Amino acid sequence: MPDVRSAIEQRLAAAFDAVHAGADPVLRPSDRADLQANGALPLAKVLGRAPAEIARSVVEQLDIADLCDEVEVSGNGFINLTLSTRYLAERLGDLARDPRLGIEAVASPETIVVDYSAPNVAKEMHVGHLRTTVIGDALARMLTFLGHDVRRENHIGDWGTPFGMLIEHLVDLGEEEGASELSAGDLTGFYQQARASFDSDDGFADRSRRRVVLLQSGDDETLRLWRVLVAGSVRYFDAVYSKLGVQLTDDDIVGESYYNDMLAGVVEELEAKGLLVVHDGAMCVFPPGFENRNGDPLPLIVQKSDGGYGYASTDLAAIRHRVLDLGAQRMLYVVGAPQKQHFQMCFAVAAMAGWLTDETQAIHVSFGSVLGADGRMVATRTGGTVTLVGLLDEAVDRARAAIAGRRSADPNNEAGSDDDDVVAKMVGIGAVKYSDLSTDRGRDYVFDWDRMLAFEGNTGPYLQYAHARIRSIFRRGDVSVPAPAAPALRDPHERALGLALLWFPVALDDTLATYSPHKLCGYLFDVASAFTSFYENCRVLVDDEAQRTSRLILCDLSARVLSLGLSLLGIEAPERM
Ligand code: ARG
């Protein structure tokens, strides 16, 4: 069954068509009524008539009495629609019976690659990697829920010239010592020491250069050492993933090295297609429309003058592999904004080579930076720099303290229990993820402990608390969830909540239309706010049984929408807090 917005849009579109073919009304929630359609405005020029007059002609054609109680045209040509309460109630009955809460699986599932997280071996995972990991995971969950075949691909940086020096440093440290340093998360220390030796010790630098050659020629012992480095770092990434509760596993690691054997083929194919140009000794493709600051055409380097391959070669191979071998119809690259041009150029070259066609979409899901409260890097309570694991542990500690503080201030608190630690984890990690997801990904955001852990406002803890509070209504009143049925919507607060709940599939659609998790966050915040107003104005556990049942249905639906919505964001919803 179509969601509420689509149901109304279909009727509107038919009416608009009767006035002027091909008009496209846009429907959005409104303070004036429930929904507002524009559409007359853009037609005014075309038809040479006043928008309000056009809107009135549309309304004359509109067959919508079964869905709407009131349709009114505003002076400037907007069409304001008030949904019929009976229709809303019936749809809420459907929602209550539907485990998917109105979100239908797509009719034709696609194979979608989500390229996210992608930290670099023996380099610190920074907060930017936190963003790609959290955003990518949320998008992967949503697309999976819609029934798509989602391939999570963790394109880790596990190849390149720095590995010569990293391997030599590993040899000097001793394998065990080196590997444990890496898996403990001291990746920066490891890298910097290797770098320091390289810069100060000529013998070390020579060994490192020979190592690169050995690595590239596939020397067994060198590859074995390389694997030790990779495995040590991957253990650290896994520790971060498991604390974060993201769905990435070792099976999703398809790092840069995976494409090594395909790189020569990529160059050959580009050559055969006549796309290669030798520029400063390097093999390049010049995709049209890209220029450097001086206005000169900008090359994408496919093979360096020394014969080596780089980041772009690997990404071209990955696109080709994903489209031709995996059958990807869509590829999402959840990577920071600084790589915008890199992806635009790779996509352009892949299109020139015929790997990307109109049937395949490649999208750079870009995001802004994370800043500390003072505009600098994120620091710990004591001011030092932190590993990501340290940061997540601190989030949990702070959540534990915040929950305990609230408990002691709340006279009817549900006393602490054995799962306090579990709840602190859900709240602390949820707060970090939510503060990231609730910011428009295009924008920079400030990592602010106090704000993300606040129990008021558009925060993770607020939504989790709203959910837990609803569950506690059932627990404390010792009532069970009523059989699904259409609730009565007599009070305006019941009606407003009902309308918000029915908007869930629309919110998910809008979220995925632009790959913007903050839209789903904003929606869940609206639901929690509508629930709060309802709860403050409508007593739930009233004596009148029919009314009590109806209100309990609204409570349960609210909790289910919050819980499913949070889970699509990768955030857990505790039953009590
Ligand atoms: N490892 C890269 C970095 O840390 C990100 C890789 C993103 N994915 C890709 N296919 N290029 O910046």
Side-chain angles (χ1 to χ4, degrees), residues 107-147:
S108 25
E110 289 171 54
T111 299
I112 304 177
V113 168
V114 186
D115 180 319
Y116 70 106
S117 196
N120 302 312
V121 166
K123 273 200 209 149
E124 192 57 73
M125 241 178 127
H126 50 75
V127 252
H129 289 119
L130 189 67
R131 281 211 94 176
T132 159
T133 306
V134 167
I135 296 171
D137 203 60
L139 295 174
R141 285 170 193 259
M142 296 177 209
L143 293 165
T144 303
F145 190 71
L146 290 183

Side-chain angles (χ1 to χ4, degrees), residues 115 118-120 129 155 157 256 311 315 322 333 335 339 342-343:
D115 180 319
N120 302 312
H129 289 119
H155 191 89
E256 294 179 14
Y311 189 53
D315 262 321
R322 288 166 179 177
Y333 289 82
V335 187
Q339 296 192 35
H342 163 76
F343 284 113

Side-chain angles (χ1 to χ4, degrees), residues 110-111 319 322-324 327-331 351 354-363:
E110 289 171 54
T111 299
I319 295 175
R322 288 166 179 177
V323 176
L324 301 184
Q329 287 146 295
R330 240 196 281 182
M331 296 177 281
W355 304 324
L356 270 182
T357 62
D358 291 346
E359 271 85 82
T360 320
Q361 277 180 282
I363 301 139

Side-chain angles (χ1 to χ4, degrees), residues 117-125 154-159 163 178-187 190 225-243 246 248-257 389:
S117 196
N120 302 312
V121 166
K123 273 200 209 149
E124 192 57 73
M125 241 178 127
N154 195 354
H155 191 89
I156 63 171
D158 61 356
W159 200 256
F163 279 91
S180 74
E181 203 172 285
L182 287 172
S183 47
D186 189 12
L187 283 69
F190 188 95
L225 289 164
W226 169 76
R227 275 187 213 104
V228 173
L229 276 181
V230 175
S233 302
V234 165
R235 259 200 300 286
Y236 174 63
F237 303 154
D238 282 343
V240 175
Y241 296 153
S242 107
K243 278 196 197 288
V246 295
L248 283 172
T249 69
D250 287 355
D251 293 340
D252 302 316
I253 294 181
V254 191
E256 294 179 14
S257 67
V389 167

